[in-house]
Structure formats: structure tokens, C-alpha cells
Amino acid sequence: MTTVEVLVVGAGPTGLALARQLATFGVHVRLVDRARDRVHESRALAIQPRTLEVLKGLGVTDDLVAAGNPAVRMCLHARGRERSVPLFDLGLEDTAYPYLLFLSQSETERLLSEHLAAAGVEVERGGELVGLDRTGDGVVATLRHADHREERVPARFVVGCDGAHSTVRHLAGIRFEGSSYPQTFVLADLEADGICGGAAHVFLSEHGMLFLFPLGSPASWRLIAMRPPADPTPPDTPVTLAEVQRLADSYSGARVRLRDPMWMTNFRLHHRAAARYRAGPVFLAGDAAHIHSPAGAQGMNTGIQDAINLGWKLAQALRGNSDPALLDSYEVERAPVGRMVLRFTDRAFNVATSTNPFVRFARTWIAPALIPLVMAPRLVRATAFRTVAELNIGYRHSPLSVHGHDAPRSGPRAGDRLPDAPLTADGLTLHKLTAGPGWHLLLCGPSDAWPSASTTVLDRYPLTVHRLTA
């Protein structure tokens, strides 16, 4: 039996991004998924600036941007009035992607799959993980294929990217703590008349909110709406266009006409987190580690960023170029992000769905007037947008972040995101310079101030050296 360096279970966006990054580092990786085909429905639908940045090094971002629909404006509708609120118009000067990119998950997966195939890795579909046994230096996974044949696969590491009902998490004995929200929601990808394109639309009412987000493909709009609290419809009940239209009418005052649905479903939301992100050679990422409401479009983005954080660390561990504690830093860095996202989305969800009379009044009467005023100051908007865009995520408290005794009190610190900045007149930026895989050493200042690099260090940690003159 050939030992696989990394077995990735689950070929959603998180698993695809992880496998693609591992392939970039030359890691022998297998990616399996029990589904016979990738999703063709639009589940997650928005890609944040930080995610576009981390995927740039994998060569995927330009294709995502070309296929997606960038939005910089949100329209609030309440009591027959419409107010336009800018989205990412401030505070994003240090990124090449100052917008929220709307793109269906099916398209995101298609593009990630194509780039993975170009790197020589194919998704093995119809293969289900049914066993996981620890060995001295790794694990042996048992896969059951579509023809019922079982295969035992020795692997140095296994990563569960297999969603909320993760088999990897279950077999590793990791608890998944949290609960479900009681409300039932409707999701649909369809065409909609009566609203302007190029913006996200939110209809506020006493009994909740209706969202319409621009997609472009395979349908023009994604609709999300909460059924009334008294509606007992189970989440597995089929949905009709007439039902969705009645629901939209109750929120929009019959302003929006729906047609040509591509996909419609009822669903329930959960907020849960894994007690641990690692059990020896077994790791969790994405929905296998944390699930929450779609508020703020954080779910898929957090999962992809989990994958990018973990991928290079696994590659370094496999090459023997790191302290074993490097892999421990994955949970130290990513678990606080997962908890923060759960808190943020839970609070936003409760405001959007609360039946409390005061909250209902505030949602319908106060919020439409107050939100544009609150968001008017530049500092408030910039801070809010950077938080939602996930550009404020940093790892200053990671064991990998070493602060010298003379570290400045202000400005970037160890563990902070590297901001983008123009370097030359022909369009070279800091992110483009450092987009490739591997270590990058930036030497800044006059040439006589550059220290000579140690050959020993360069032999053990191959570096790309960039000399930046003032």
C-alpha cells in the first residue's frame, strides 16, 4: 500500500482549496468525496476580499473575479421606502479587491476543481470514509468506493473538510458543540423583476428580513427569507414558486415578481463548533469545524482561509522543515477566528429574526433611518467593512509571531496581515510580489543596509528574496 502524505475528505470549497495548495507545494495528496458529482446549486454565494487575496497565490482569483458579480452597494427597503447604503467603499485601500464578490458556490467549486486538475489532482468521487485507525506515524483510512470495494489507505495526515455531518470528526472522537435555530428558511436561485441590478437588496419587516443578492450565473438572484414563526413547514418539504412569491410579497409589499427558479429549498440553520481542530494526525477545517448562520457571508470564506492556513504547515511538516509545534499553531490561530465568526453571526441572526416587540419595531422603523447615519462617518464605515471583509484577522498571539523588544508601538506587527501596496508604476504590488508559494524575505531600505543571508538558513528554508529600495 502506498502511503499518501495527506488524505483530504470532502471536495467542497475548503477541501478543494486545501488540496490545491498542497499540490502547489508538491505534496502527494488524495481528495475524496462521497458525492458522485459536485454541487450544482448555489449554497454559499459571496467571496470576501481576504479570501480573494489568499487564493491569489493558487492562481484562482482572476478566474473567480471574471466569473463573479462585484457589489459595492446595499439597498434597504422598509415601509415602501428605499435607502442606498455603500458597502466596501472605504477602508480597503490596501487590497486589490475592494468589494464583495457574488458568485455561486457551484461556480466557485468548478473553478477550483479546474485549477486542481491542472495541478494533476483529480477529485475521487463516490468514495466514502468508513474507518480511521491510528498508527505509529499516521493513520490508515478505510474508503468504500461506489462499487462497494473497500480500500485501506495509509496516510501521514487526514483532514476532514466534509461538512457539518463530518465523518472524520466523528471517527476522530471530536465533539461538535452547539444547537440549531428553530426558524425555517427558504432559499431560491431565480430571476426577479422590480429591483435594480448591481446591488444587494434587504427588505425589512416586523417578522424578519428578505435578502436578494446578485448572482449572474446560473440565475440572476439568490433569495433568502425566513418563514413566519407560526409556519410549521418542516425543512424537508418541497418548495413551490407560488409559496416563495407569497413570502416575497409579505416582505416587499408585492413589489418584487419572481420567475424562472433554478433551485428552491427549505432549510434550517445551526451554530456549532468543534471542541478541537486536531486529534493527532487528524485535522478539521471549514464546516466540519464550525457552522453558523450566513450573516456577513463568513462561512465558506472562513473555511477556505482555514485550508490556506493549514496547507502550508502540513507541507513544511512533511518536508521536515519545521518544529513539530508548527502544526499546533493551526488550532491556536484558527479556533479563535471560528469562535469570533460564530459570535458575530449569532448576534446578527438574532437581530434579524427576533420576535421581541422592541426589536421588531427597531428593525422596521428605526434601522432604515439609523443605519445610513451610523455608517456615514468614514472611520465607522472603514472599520465595519474591514471586519466583514475579514481583513482585520490577525495572529499576533500565535506562537509563530515573535515580537522583538524594539517592536514599534504602532503599525504592522508580527502576525498581522501583510497589506497590499503599489511598488512600481507598471502595476507591481506587494501582494503580487509575494503571491507565489514558499517563504518570502523582504529586504527594505538602502542596499548597504541589507544583511547577507545565511547559506545555512537558505538551504533549510528556501527563500525568495525581494530587495526593495526606498
Side-chain angles (χ1 to χ4, degrees), residues 254-303:
R255 170 179 172 176
V256 180
R257 303 308 301 170
L258 307 176
R259 56 183 173 84
D260 303 329
M262 296 288 296
W263 180 54
M264 300 183 294
T265 187
N266 289 301
F267 68 101
R268 286 269 174 85
L269 295 171
H270 307 263
H271 52 111
R272 301 180 188 274
R276 293 176 291 150
Y277 281 30
R278 180 186 185 185
V282 179
F283 294 82
L284 302 176
D287 286 356
H290 43 72
I291 55 171
H292 38 77
S293 90
Q298 306 290 294
M300 179 183 71
N301 293 274
T302 306

Side-chain angles (χ1 to χ4, degrees), residues 33-351:
D33 194 296
R34 62 184 176 186
R36 301 293 185 90
D37 195 6
R38 64 177 178 84
V39 301
H40 293 278
E41 304 86 9
S42 169
R43 299 176 186 180
L45 77 157
I47 307 178
Q48 299 287 1
R50 181 65 170 269
T51 305
L52 293 171
E53 288 182 352
V54 300
L55 290 176
K56 180 71 175 178
L58 305 184
V60 185
T61 296
D62 289 347
D63 289 340
L64 293 171
V65 171
N69 187 347
V72 295
R73 192 164 57 92
M74 176 176 66
C75 294
L76 296 175
H77 304 264
R79 306 188 318 279
R81 298 182 62 188
E82 177 180 334
R83 291 176 181 266
S84 180
V85 179
L87 285 172
F88 297 156
D89 67 328
L90 285 175
L92 303 182
E93 294 85 0
D94 60 347
T95 181
Y97 313 104
Y99 46 75
L100 187 63
L101 184 71
F102 287 103
L103 182 65
S104 71
Q105 180 178 331
S106 59
E107 286 296 287
T108 300
E109 290 190 14
R110 179 183 66 80
L111 292 169
L112 284 168
S113 297
E114 289 176 359
H115 279 266
L116 184 61
V121 180
E122 294 290 342
V123 180
E124 300 176 40
R125 296 204 170 273
E128 181 179 4
L129 180 72
V130 294
L132 206 57
D133 300 311
R134 290 283 299 272
T135 62
D137 58 351
V139 294
V140 175
T142 302
L143 302 178
R144 182 177 297 143
H145 295 280
D147 58 3
H148 305 293
R149 174 180 53 90
E150 290 196 352
E151 177 190 9
R152 287 176 62 78
V153 181
R156 288 285 306 279
F157 299 104
V158 172
V159 185
C161 303
D162 48 345
H165 302 288
S166 170
T167 301
V168 173
R169 188 184 62 239
H170 173 72
L171 293 174
I174 299 175
R175 299 189 313 278
F176 204 36
E177 301 166 342
S179 60
S180 303
Y181 293 109
Q183 298 90 343
T184 299
F185 289 79
V186 170
L187 181 151
D189 290 348
L190 35 62
E191 303 302 316
D193 300 320
I195 52 175
C196 63
H201 294 264
V202 184
F203 291 85
L204 308 172
S205 76
E206 289 189 356
H207 55 273
M209 298 182 183
L210 178 143
F211 297 88
L212 281 161
F213 299 106
L215 280 180
S217 174
S220 298
W221 295 95
R222 150 69 62 82
L223 176 146
I224 302 176
M226 186 182 80
R227 287 184 176 274
D231 187 336
T233 303
D236 55 353
T237 304
V239 185
T240 67
L241 181 60
E243 277 185 283
V244 182
Q245 183 65 65
R246 284 194 297 271
L247 195 59
D249 289 347
S250 69
Y251 283 98
S252 70
R255 170 179 172 176
V256 180
R257 303 308 301 170
L258 307 176
R259 56 183 173 84
D260 303 329
M262 296 288 296
W263 180 54
M264 300 183 294
T265 187
N266 289 301
F267 68 101
R268 286 269 174 85
L269 295 171
H270 307 263
H271 52 111
R272 301 180 188 274
R276 293 176 291 150
Y277 281 30
R278 180 186 185 185
V282 179
F283 294 82
L284 302 176
D287 286 356
H290 43 72
I291 55 171
H292 38 77
S293 90
Q298 306 290 294
M300 179 183 71
N301 293 274
T302 306
I304 289 175
Q305 291 171 41
D306 287 345
I308 300 301
N309 183 287
L310 178 60
W312 70 268
K313 295 174 181 178
L314 290 173
Q316 294 302 317
L318 287 163
R319 298 296 172 260
N321 290 339
S322 65
D323 187 296
L326 175 67
L327 292 178
D328 293 332
S329 71
Y330 168 64
E331 180 171 344
V332 172
E333 293 178 355
R334 295 306 299 173
V337 174
R339 290 192 294 268
M340 179 270 293
V341 169
L342 255 69
R343 288 194 301 271
F344 167 76
T345 56
D346 186 58
R347 290 169 184 166
F349 178 87
N350 287 328
V351 169

